[in-house]
Amino acid sequence: MNAFLVSNILHVMQHSGLIAMDYVLNKIDQHLDNHRNLDQHMNDLKRKLKDLDGLKEDTESQMSTELRPTKKLKTVVQVWLENVERINGEVRELVGRIGESRALTRGFHTDDVLKRIREVEELIQQGKFHEGLVVDNPQWIGQVLSTTTLSGEDAKACMEEIWHCLMDDEVLKIGVWGMGGVGKTSILKVINNQLLKETAKFDIVIWVTVSKQMSIAKLQKDIASKIGVTFNGDEDETTRAGMLFETLSQKSRFVLILDDLWNKISFEIIGIPELCAGSKLVLTTRSFDLCRQLCCRVIKVNPLEERHAWNLFLEKVGWDILNIPGLEPIAKSIAKRCAGLPLAIVTVAGCMRGIDNLSEWRNALRELSVYKKSVHGLEDDVFHQLRFSYDHLKDQKLQQCFLSCALYPEDFIIKEKVLIQFWIAEGIVEEMDSRQAEFDRGCTIINRLLNNCLLEVSTVTKYGRHVKMHDLVRDMALHITSEKPRFFVKAGMRLTRPPDVQEWSEDLEKVSLMGNWELEILYPLEMSPPKCSMLTTLLLSDCGIMSIPEGFFNHMHGLKILDLSKNPIMSLPHSISNLKILTRLSLARCLNLKKVPSLSNLQVLKELDLEATNIKSVPHGMKNMLSLKYLNLSWSRNLIVIPNGILSRLSCLQELIVGETLIRGEEVHGLNKLEILEGRFHDLHNLNMYVQTLHDREEPCEYQIRVGERGRVVTFNSRKYIELCGCNIYSNQIMLPHDIKELYIKKCYLDCSEEHLFSRFIPVSLGNFSSLKFFQISDCRNTKKLFPPNCVPPNLQQLRVRNCDELEELIASELESEERGMVTVEISLPKLKQLELIDLPELKSICGVGVVMVCNSLEEIRVEDCLKLKRMPLNLPQLDSVQPS
């Protein structure tokens, strides 16, 4: 080999070695970069994962709003939720692998971290479901209705006949006919619920209550709401009909039940397709002619036979009356006077229940026998019995309370609290020492009316009862008010033009036009303002009123109650300022209302409701309302703060609801009659000032208080809760009511590194927060322990801890180091049902060494991203065969 060739070979070998060395060095540099950047990438991943989990929580909250029996979750949403769960699990696993890696190998995980970041970013983009989360649920075909037990063989025979017709494809229209109060609606409700099980035969069952004040627009709207059609509000009658026709045509097998139909309707005008085999129309009516005109198969519901009527009467009045000597023949005569009508029987029997005096029974029979008055639209016998129930109330205030319910539209569902507030404002419920006492009196009155079957419970929620009037009972009430021209009621009648001049008569006492949302104006501009000097109550809510003429209230000096709520009105006439004896003014949900005239003359006003208006400042002269007991300014988002010197003057205030508007502790500190407070304090000092006032209160108080930043943290479960959001919690103690039920802490700075968080809280009287049921803390830093062993709320039902980076223990141990392991302290939480621990990177144990949580009722434990959690000392007696963890 010559020298030249050897030289070249050596040169190439040297050059190749340099390339290999450069490659290795580059790889080492890249690995070191990965190692150095891994922590930054991990923090980025955790931050984005928090955003994703927040989006997931928001989505789940939206799901609870959108999901209805008629809806189901979209598949794409379900898949997204599953992917979010999956990525959370993968990230937890990745964090675990990284934690177990040696220093030199940690950098090899960088690519996996970057991949997870990209996936999380994609999921965040995918999770913006602008078109909603749900679609129609094909398994749901109709709404279950509340029913009562049917009485008598005739009723059961009618039901069987109706069912036979529904199953017969040749019968398309069924008319259930009978006099008022005979039980037509009760029978059809049972039929409705049975139809819901026939998913193989029918696609949808639609129940619509029609009533006398039927309008095509209302009927179209009601049907639309049952079949998932949404009107924008600007469609004409023909367009609405087309939309209904299109949707119903797709549901070729539908059952449309029209309850309480009074007049002939045109299917074409409404938008109901021509019926064919598989679809049905069922209606209830008092008119045989209407059934005939609509070509229905007619089924008549007859009154109960005497023996069945007697059994129903005994069932409602109480079988023990048979034990009273001489009473049975009188009771049978009274039952006979009810003419076999279930409504009348139930009504009269309810009046007589609990009465064992023969004289009262004989007097009742005599009263029922002498009635001779009648009312148009009510059969004489029915009206007699209903009028008897009204007269049997005896108490004039009870009768006034009952008659005032007729001011609401037919079939209107009335909140119990709203009704009682109305009675208080009217002066029917007398003033008492406290608002709670007044409400208790109102509840007692409602119970009397319910027991006498003059009102009926519609629904019951955690916020209270809702009641309504049977349409026959309401007709009777309106007839009574017409005996003297005192009431003028056209509520819910879909008026499109204002009442005539002569209808605003001078002797009117109460006027109700509520629910006429197409009215827009109150009287023609060419007409002089109404002269109604005796008018005390004017109810104009939800009438679509755009403006009120300046002089409208000039001749209404006796007005005490004015309700203009839910109107698109932008301003009010100055004549409202001269209503000097006004006691209740409601402008709630007048979303366009920006300014209110001076109210300085309204010095006897007791209730002012400005909820959800667009006002930017409180009305001028409010500090002169020294009689004000109720003030609502909630959801008025442009109203930031209530100026100093106003609330402190309103010494009669019993209920103050201001929502997110700021109030000052010194302003409410002296309001000794305040029973209900819903509002927001700027800081903890203001909260302490308010809580101090609760110590000497005899009456229980309700409070829903936010401290710090705007915005509700969670949905509350009770009427006694406090939220701390964005507050600075330093060494000062924080006062909390002794009866607080819910406490939520979010985004607060806690200087509690060396002590327990709950050592900062003290109740205003002796106690250990035994009323606290729900506690949640999230996004808080610089606290290591929540509870000392002697300050754990014993009746907690839900404990949630999230995103607290430095938290090490929930319940600390107070044992000395040499005692640990020798003594076990049991902390009993007998009512705890849910324990949630999420994203607590420093959490090592639920309890300190030597402490065990005894949880007899625990149903759910959720632990996520608590990577250092090694001990969960929970004693779960329900798992007797398993040692506690």
Side-chain angles (χ1 to χ4, degrees), residues 398-443:
L398 278 176
Q399 292 175 337
Q400 289 176 340
C401 286
F402 164 71
L403 294 177
S404 68
C405 296
L407 294 169
Y408 292 89
E410 186 175 320
D411 297 316
F412 192 84
I413 296 174
I414 315 168
K415 290 182 181 178
E416 181 178 48
K417 181 177 179 179
V418 171
L419 185 57
I420 294 173
Q421 278 184 299
F422 180 66
W423 290 341
I424 294 172
E426 286 240 297
I428 308 174
V429 172
E430 61 275 14
E431 289 193 23
M432 299 183 183
D433 293 337
S434 70
R435 197 164 186 84
Q436 185 61 55
E438 293 170 354
F439 272 96
D440 290 343
R441 173 60 179 154
C443 288

Side-chain angles (χ1 to χ4, degrees), residues 344-544:
I345 293 169
V346 169
T347 302
V348 174
C351 289
M352 302 306 296
R353 188 177 183 88
I355 296 176
D356 56 8
N357 184 281
L358 280 177
S359 296
E360 288 194 51
W361 279 86
R362 282 194 294 265
N363 183 64
L365 177 59
R366 186 161 44 253
E367 289 180 0
L368 283 167
S369 302
V370 299
Y371 280 134
K372 298 195 179 189
K373 295 177 184 177
S374 177
V375 58
H376 178 68
L378 282 178
E379 289 73 12
D380 289 353
D381 288 337
V382 181
F383 177 69
H384 289 169
Q385 320 318 326
L386 297 180
R387 178 63 193 246
F388 166 76
S389 299
Y390 166 77
D391 288 339
H392 196 264
L393 291 173
K394 307 294 185 185
D395 188 308
Q396 187 177 8
K397 286 192 174 181
L398 278 176
Q399 292 175 337
Q400 289 176 340
C401 286
F402 164 71
L403 294 177
S404 68
C405 296
L407 294 169
Y408 292 89
E410 186 175 320
D411 297 316
F412 192 84
I413 296 174
I414 315 168
K415 290 182 181 178
E416 181 178 48
K417 181 177 179 179
V418 171
L419 185 57
I420 294 173
Q421 278 184 299
F422 180 66
W423 290 341
I424 294 172
E426 286 240 297
I428 308 174
V429 172
E430 61 275 14
E431 289 193 23
M432 299 183 183
D433 293 337
S434 70
R435 197 164 186 84
Q436 185 61 55
E438 293 170 354
F439 272 96
D440 290 343
R441 173 60 179 154
C443 288
T444 302
I445 292 173
I446 287 179
N447 289 336
R448 284 285 303 274
L449 298 178
L450 289 170
N451 292 339
N452 283 275
C453 299
L454 295 171
L455 283 181
E456 55 190 66
V457 174
S458 174
T459 55
V460 179
T461 70
K462 69 178 181 180
Y463 305 111
R465 293 182 296 187
H466 296 69
V467 297
K468 61 178 290 189
M469 273 185 137
H470 190 284
D471 56 349
L472 291 181
V473 176
R474 182 174 181 270
D475 285 346
M476 183 266 293
L478 290 175
H479 176 72
I480 293 173
T481 63
S482 69
E483 293 173 357
K484 295 179 181 178
R486 298 182 296 122
F487 281 31
F488 174 57
V489 181
K490 288 195 173 181
M493 295 184 67
R494 309 299 175 187
L495 300 180
T496 56
R497 65 180 191 85
D500 296 331
V501 176
Q502 60 271 22
E503 291 180 296
W504 291 97
S505 59
E506 293 189 22
D507 54 1
L508 282 176
E509 292 184 16
K510 302 181 192 301
V511 172
S512 175
L513 300 175
M514 64 167 68
N516 292 295
W517 45 271
E518 296 180 343
L519 192 58
E520 295 188 2
I521 60 173
L522 290 175
Y523 68 96
L525 294 178
E526 64 273 10
M527 169 184 160
S528 299
K531 296 181 179 180
C532 304
S533 57
M534 297 178 64
L535 189 65
T536 62
T537 301
L538 181 57
L539 306 180
L540 301 170
S541 63
D542 199 17
C543 285

